């Protein structure tokens, strides 16, 4: 079970949004690379990065910040936001990403996702962001008519490494992950699912260890880590089944 700390990039800075609204950005660090290194030193083993500007623009915008992050941490990094073509996927993987996250293009051009999975085995994840049970695209600015499970099932057998499922209504507001919808999705497909949106406290970390959640690959945490609502050592110890004091030693 993996806890993915999140770095959301807006204008080269590490920020968090509420409900995906760019106007609500709270700046947490002017140096995303330093933040990435700090997460590694705290014991995290993966990093989740989103190019927020890129998600809205449809192309990578914070490339320099992502490049600095890749140089600063030894941890594998997954990146989403504005990645829409095979050429962009190949370029990012060549630059050292562990995997790319395809969101809007998974709705607009699912065949491209299948092609990418075939060309880059184990390197392609799909981001499914939902509001009211329907998939949102273009940086969450537009709603589609697709249901979450309907979209996920399009990629069964394609070789998708993971599905990152975000409940937009809970994102950035510390209201707790939508465990029911997330676990329902994990039950409906064979692709590993990563929970995202609303992780609020150690209670959510404990929830990750419950039997019905064991099928998940993990969960993403942003604001709760930045605000100090979750102690990294305690959270990682819980997920690894170790005493918290051992994690701090």
């Amino acid at each position: 079970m993996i806890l993915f700390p999140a770095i959301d990039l807006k204008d080269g800075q590490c920020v968090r949004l509420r409900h995906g609204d760019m106007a609500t950005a709270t700046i947490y660090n002017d140096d995303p690379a330093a933040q990435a290194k700090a997460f590694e030193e705290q014991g995290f083993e993966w990093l989740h990065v989103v190019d927020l500007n890129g998600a809205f623009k449809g192309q990578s915008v914070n490339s320099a910040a992502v490049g600095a992050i890749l140089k600063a941490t030894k941890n594998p990094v997954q990146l989403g936001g504005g990645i829409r073509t095979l050429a962009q996927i190949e370029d990012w993987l060549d630059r050292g990403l562990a995997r790319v996250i395809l969101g809007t293009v998974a709705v607009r051009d699912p065949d491209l996702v299948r092609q990418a999975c075939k060309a880059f085995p184990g390197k392609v994840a799909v981001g499914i962001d939902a509001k009211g049970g329907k998939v949102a695209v273009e940086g969450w600015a537009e709603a589609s008519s697709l249901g979450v499970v309907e979209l996920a099932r399009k990629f069964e057998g394609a070789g998708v490494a993971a599905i990152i499922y975000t409940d937009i209504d809970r994102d950035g507001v510390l209201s707790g992950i939508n465990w029911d919808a997330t676990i329902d999705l994990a039950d409906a497909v064979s692709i590993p699912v990563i929970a995202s949106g609303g992780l609020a406290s150690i209670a959510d970390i404990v929830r990750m260890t419950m039997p019905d959640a064991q099928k998940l690959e993990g969960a993403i945490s942003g604001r709760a880590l930045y605000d100090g609502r979750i102690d990294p050592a305690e959270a990682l110890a819980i997920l690894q089944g170790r005493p918290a004091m051992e994690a701090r030693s």
Side-chain angles (χ1 to χ4, degrees):
M1 186 70 69
I2 303 168
L3 184 61
F4 297 79
I7 292 181
D8 288 359
L9 297 169
K10 179 179 182 287
D11 304 331
Q13 299 173 312
C14 179
V15 307
R16 294 301 295 171
L17 308 182
R18 293 178 182 274
H19 303 306
D21 183 352
M22 291 286 267
T24 67
T26 300
I27 299 170
Y28 281 98
N29 199 325
D30 287 326
D31 188 343
Q35 185 64 63
K37 186 64 176 176
F39 281 140
E40 178 186 323
E41 291 172 347
Q42 287 169 351
F44 294 101
E45 297 180 351
W46 264 88
L47 182 62
H48 175 80
V49 180
V50 178
D51 181 345
L52 294 172
N53 302 100
F56 283 93
K57 194 169 182 179
Q59 64 186 50
S60 298
V61 174
N62 289 285
S63 296
V66 177
I69 287 170
L70 290 170
K71 290 180 181 178
T73 181
K74 297 182 178 67
N75 283 345
V77 178
Q78 61 183 22
L79 172 70
I83 304 173
R84 307 281 170 87
T85 69
L86 283 172
Q88 289 172 333
I89 294 167
E90 183 173 17
D91 177 61
W92 274 120
L93 293 176
D94 285 345
R95 291 178 64 179
L97 280 181
R99 61 189 177 197
V100 297
I101 304 166
L102 305 181
T104 294
V105 75
V107 176
R108 306 280 197 228
D109 189 359
D111 283 341
L112 185 144
V113 176
R114 298 185 189 98
Q115 293 172 33
C117 290
K118 186 174 181 180
F120 311 106
K123 302 287 188 178
V124 178
V126 168
I128 298 182
D129 308 322
K131 187 176 182 65
K134 297 297 182 181
V135 178
V137 295
E138 305 294 346
W140 302 355
E142 297 179 21
S144 76
S145 60
L146 278 173
V148 172
V149 173
E150 179 185 1
L151 177 59
R153 283 179 170 160
K154 288 178 181 286
F155 304 110
E156 282 281 37
V160 171
I163 291 173
I164 294 97
Y165 171 64
T166 304
D167 185 330
I168 297 171
D169 291 323
R170 296 183 182 230
D171 188 72
V173 295
L174 300 167
S175 60
I177 283 174
N178 186 339
W179 290 108
D180 289 343
T182 303
I183 291 170
D184 284 348
L185 174 60
D187 284 338
V189 296
S190 61
I191 305 166
V193 172
I194 299 170
S196 176
L199 194 147
S201 68
I202 286 294
D204 278 317
I205 302 298
V206 173
R207 182 67 181 83
M208 291 169 66
T209 68
M210 297 296 101
D212 63 345
Q214 289 300 298
K215 59 177 70 70
L216 302 177
E217 180 174 299
I220 293 166
S221 179
R223 187 177 292 272
L225 283 172
Y226 292 106
D227 286 349
R229 295 170 185 266
I230 291 177
D231 176 78
E234 182 181 5
L236 293 172
I238 289 169
L239 293 177
Q240 295 163 6
R242 297 182 293 118
M245 290 305 295
E246 179 184 334
R248 293 186 175 89
S249 61

